[in-house]
Amino acid sequence: MKMGYNLHLEQSQKLVMTPQLKQAIKILQLASIELDQYIEQQVETNPILEINQDTPELPGNETEGPVEEKINWKEYVEDFDNYEYAKKPYNEDEQFNYENIVSKETTLQEHLLFQYHITLLDYKYNEIGEYIINNLNENGYLTISVEEIAKELQEEPSTVENILKIIQTFDPPGVAARNLKECLLIQLEQLHGISDNVYKLVENHLEEVAENKYPLIAKKMDITTKEVQDICDFIRTLEPKPGRRFASINNNYLVPDAVIKKIGREYLVILNDRNAPRLTIRDDYRKLLTNENENSDTVKFLNDKLNSAIWLIRSIEQRRQTIYKVVEMIVKKQRNFFEYGKKHLKPMTLKEIAEEIQVHESTVSRATNGKYVDTPIGVFELKYFFSSGVEGSDGEGISAESIKNYIKEIVELENPHKPLSDEKICKQLTLRGINVSRRTVAKYRDDLNISSSSKRKRY
């Protein structure tokens, strides 16, 4: 075998992940709030960038034409002023809106501490009560045991238990319970005229209630099945999570990235970036770039920062255009959904949209991940519109979300004394032109948190 060295040329294509490309991908993935935070960070690190706070000038009022030629910003800023992102949004109706006023809701801890501090207790018990209240979770349940609290505060367990009993009498009823059974019993104690059978059922048969085993409970308690069902209906009127009606300490705000409005018979896509910070190039640094007396190090530094700034602005503009095209294509393909509701959602894939707007499938995935759209029928994540489905009897595709809505509708209309099994629901869907298996129906029913027919039965 002959071995040796030789030299040959080969031409190939490959993708190089430059820092600019990584930045563009990152910006495309960011949600609106995250993008605003990222822009603020870039403004702090790049002195050439600044947030535009002025109203954009009307066309024809440009006075910097000669300066542009002298600066010679090459191809980077040829169409900078044409970027929609760089322009400040103009709101024609500057009317006062009460919805713009942010109010602060009371948290569960604040509500309980107020009640505790007006309770006539010795001052030395304040620390115990505050410690208990601050260890309640968002549902109002105590997350640690009495023994742990007593050990931490070096108090007697009986003292801690007594303070806990006092807090359990506060509003909302059932608060500071250690489990569901105690929560329901606290609420029953605060009501009047409750029969002993209700207490017995909560004490001994909660798990059987969850399994809908009413005849078995009736046999054990020596009462009729109808009485058991009435007691269970009453128990379901109690609040299993007393703290959930109060504001959470960690509030999550949702800002739609786009708005779809119906005007006449047409749907209009509006990007929700009116209040987003607009980036521009600082005028004083433009003048420094034109100064021929500046040393080479300064010019090199400014050019690097300028290139970084222009690339950032272009990446944000590209993100804006990509999201707009994706939402526009969703409106085009899912028009029946916006016209007639969720049951008319069609199957749609990322690849299908990517081919329409001539981008890679991964680009559409990044543009839809974590992004929301405000529509005439509610706010949806863009990922919601992409789902698999089956072919209907008419040849049209039916998405999984549409099938779930049909299942929900069938269950709502069923006879509660004779609930439909998965097999019967499957036959009902077949009559509507939807051919799915029983296992698929069971899967979608579980996704909707609908119990099986045995647990839905009424006696």
Side-chain angles (χ1 to χ4, degrees):
M1 181 178 179
K2 184 178 179 180
M3 298 182 64
Y5 296 99
N6 54 15
L7 202 60
H8 66 278
L9 295 176
E10 181 181 352
Q11 188 177 20
S12 63
Q13 288 184 336
K14 62 180 180 178
L15 178 64
V16 179
M17 291 292 288
T18 62
Q20 291 84 358
L21 182 57
K22 290 181 180 179
Q23 184 187 56
I25 292 174
K26 179 180 180 180
I27 288 174
L28 183 60
Q29 293 181 136
L30 295 177
S32 295
I33 296 178
E34 295 172 338
L35 179 62
D36 293 347
Q37 295 172 349
Y38 183 76
I39 290 174
E40 291 177 2
Q41 293 174 2
Q42 294 300 310
V43 171
E44 291 177 359
T45 58
N46 193 336
I48 286 184
L49 284 172
E50 70 174 350
I51 296 177
N52 184 14
Q53 310 243 347
D54 300 326
T55 304
E57 296 181 358
L58 296 175
N61 291 340
E62 295 86 352
T63 58
E64 298 187 4
V67 179
E68 291 288 340
E69 295 178 4
K70 187 176 180 181
I71 292 177
N72 189 18
W73 284 16
K74 302 176 184 178
E75 73 276 6
Y76 294 109
V77 290
E78 288 177 357
D79 55 351
F80 171 73
D81 291 329
N82 294 326
Y83 287 157
E84 289 295 327
Y85 166 76
K87 298 177 182 178
K88 182 180 178 181
Y90 179 68
N91 186 9
E92 294 180 355
D93 48 338
E94 297 290 343
Q95 297 180 357
F96 181 78
N97 191 345
Y98 286 98
E99 294 181 356
N100 292 334
I101 300 177
V102 180
S103 61
K104 181 179 180 297
E105 296 183 7
T106 304
T107 64
L108 176 64
Q109 277 70 22
E110 291 171 345
H111 184 65
L112 294 175
L113 286 172
F114 172 76
Q115 297 176 74
Y116 187 76
H117 289 152
I118 63 175
T119 304
L120 299 177
L121 293 175
D122 197 305
Y123 181 77
K124 65 181 180 180
Y125 298 129
N126 275 4
E127 185 180 6
I128 301 175
E130 291 175 357
Y131 193 88
I132 292 173
I133 291 172
N134 287 320
N135 277 282
L136 301 181
N137 63 17
E138 59 183 8
N139 292 324
Y141 285 87
L142 185 62
T143 56
I144 57 176
S145 65
V146 170
E147 290 73 18
E148 288 176 313
I149 298 173
K151 183 179 179 180
E152 180 70 25
L153 301 179
Q154 297 181 353
E155 297 282 352
E156 290 294 327
S158 59
T159 304
V160 176
E161 184 71 34
N162 290 334
I163 298 298
L164 177 61
K165 291 294 183 184
I166 293 174
I167 295 175
Q168 288 176 346
T169 63
F170 291 171
D171 179 75
V175 75
R178 285 157 284 194
N179 51 57
L180 177 61
K181 182 188 295 186
E182 186 178 22
C183 176
L184 297 177
L185 289 173
I186 293 171
Q187 295 179 61
L188 292 175
E189 289 172 0
Q190 296 183 16
L191 299 173
H192 300 285
I194 305 300
S195 69
D196 293 336
N197 285 334
V198 179
Y199 284 98
K200 290 179 182 178
L201 190 146
V202 173
E203 283 276 7
N204 306 314
H205 305 290
L206 271 185
E207 293 182 0
E208 292 163 345
V209 170
E211 297 293 329
N212 210 40
K213 296 179 179 179
Y214 294 168
L216 179 62
I217 299 172
K219 184 177 180 181
K220 289 182 177 180
M221 295 182 62
D222 195 22
I223 57 177
T224 65
T225 305
K226 179 68 168 59
E227 288 177 313
V228 173
Q229 184 172 268
D230 292 340
I231 293 173
C232 291
D233 290 342
F234 169 73
I235 291 174
R236 287 191 175 93
T237 63
L238 303 177
E239 176 56 77
K241 298 178 181 180
R244 64 179 170 183
R245 68 182 177 91
F246 290 87
S248 176
I249 295 176
N250 297 318
N251 290 312
N252 295 320
Y253 294 94
L254 181 65
V255 179
D257 294 81
V259 179
I260 299 174
K261 289 190 175 182
K262 186 177 182 180
I263 301 177
R265 294 185 177 180
E266 298 298 324
Y267 286 93
L268 180 65
V269 177
I270 304 171
L271 292 182
N272 190 21
D273 57 358
R274 296 171 56 180
N275 297 322
R278 259 54 178 180
L279 292 178
T280 186
I281 307 299
R282 290 180 55 173
D283 290 334
D284 50 351
Y285 282 97
R286 292 190 188 188
K287 295 176 181 177
L288 283 176
L289 285 168
T290 63
N291 191 346
E292 298 178 356
N293 296 326
E294 293 291 338
N295 59 56
S296 58
D297 292 338
T298 304
V299 173
K300 184 178 182 301
F301 171 80
L302 293 176
N303 280 330
D304 290 342
K305 292 298 181 181
L306 174 63
N307 294 342
S308 176
I310 296 301
W311 186 269
L312 173 64
I313 293 171
R314 281 190 168 180
S315 298
I316 297 173
E317 175 68 13
Q318 186 178 9
R319 171 191 181 275
R320 186 179 184 279
Q321 294 297 330
T322 303
I323 294 176
Y324 179 83
K325 290 178 181 178
V326 170
V327 177
E328 190 178 41
M329 195 55 59
I330 289 174
V331 172
K332 179 181 177 182
K333 291 187 172 293
Q334 301 288 358
R335 186 178 180 88
N336 286 340
F337 170 84
F338 299 109
E339 289 283 351
Y340 307 112
K342 297 180 179 179
K343 290 188 291 186
H344 296 270
L345 185 67
K346 295 180 180 179
M348 190 170 65
T349 62
L350 296 172
K351 184 178 180 181
E352 185 180 343
I353 297 297
E355 290 175 352
E356 290 284 350
I357 63 176
Q358 297 180 351
V359 295
H360 195 269
E361 187 177 344
S362 62
T363 301
V364 179
S365 176
R366 292 186 179 97
T368 55
N369 188 33
K371 313 293 191 309
Y372 291 82
V373 59
D374 186 5
T375 74
I377 59 174
V379 178
F380 299 92
E381 188 177 8
L382 290 180
K383 287 282 188 184
Y384 176 85
F385 298 98
F386 298 89
S387 64
S388 59
V390 298
E391 185 176 331
S393 58
D394 57 355
E396 289 287 332
I398 302 173
S399 72
E401 291 296 329
S402 298
I403 298 173
K404 289 179 183 179
N405 279 280
Y406 279 113
I407 293 174
K408 185 178 180 181
E409 183 183 87
I410 291 171
V411 172
E412 288 175 350
L413 297 175
E414 71 181 1
N415 183 352
H417 300 290
K418 296 181 179 179
L420 299 173
S421 64
D422 293 340
E423 187 66 36
K424 292 181 178 178
I425 294 175
C426 186
K427 292 179 180 179
Q428 290 272 353
L429 292 172
T430 303
L431 295 175
R432 303 187 185 204
I434 305 172
N435 298 315
V436 292
S437 65
R438 185 197 62 79
R439 293 179 63 183
T440 303
V441 171
K443 177 180 180 298
Y444 290 165
R445 179 178 53 75
D446 289 337
D447 292 342
L448 293 168
N449 292 322
I450 297 176
S451 304
S452 61
S453 57
S454 61
K455 294 182 181 180
R456 299 199 308 271
K457 186 177 180 180
R458 300 280 296 175
Y459 294 89

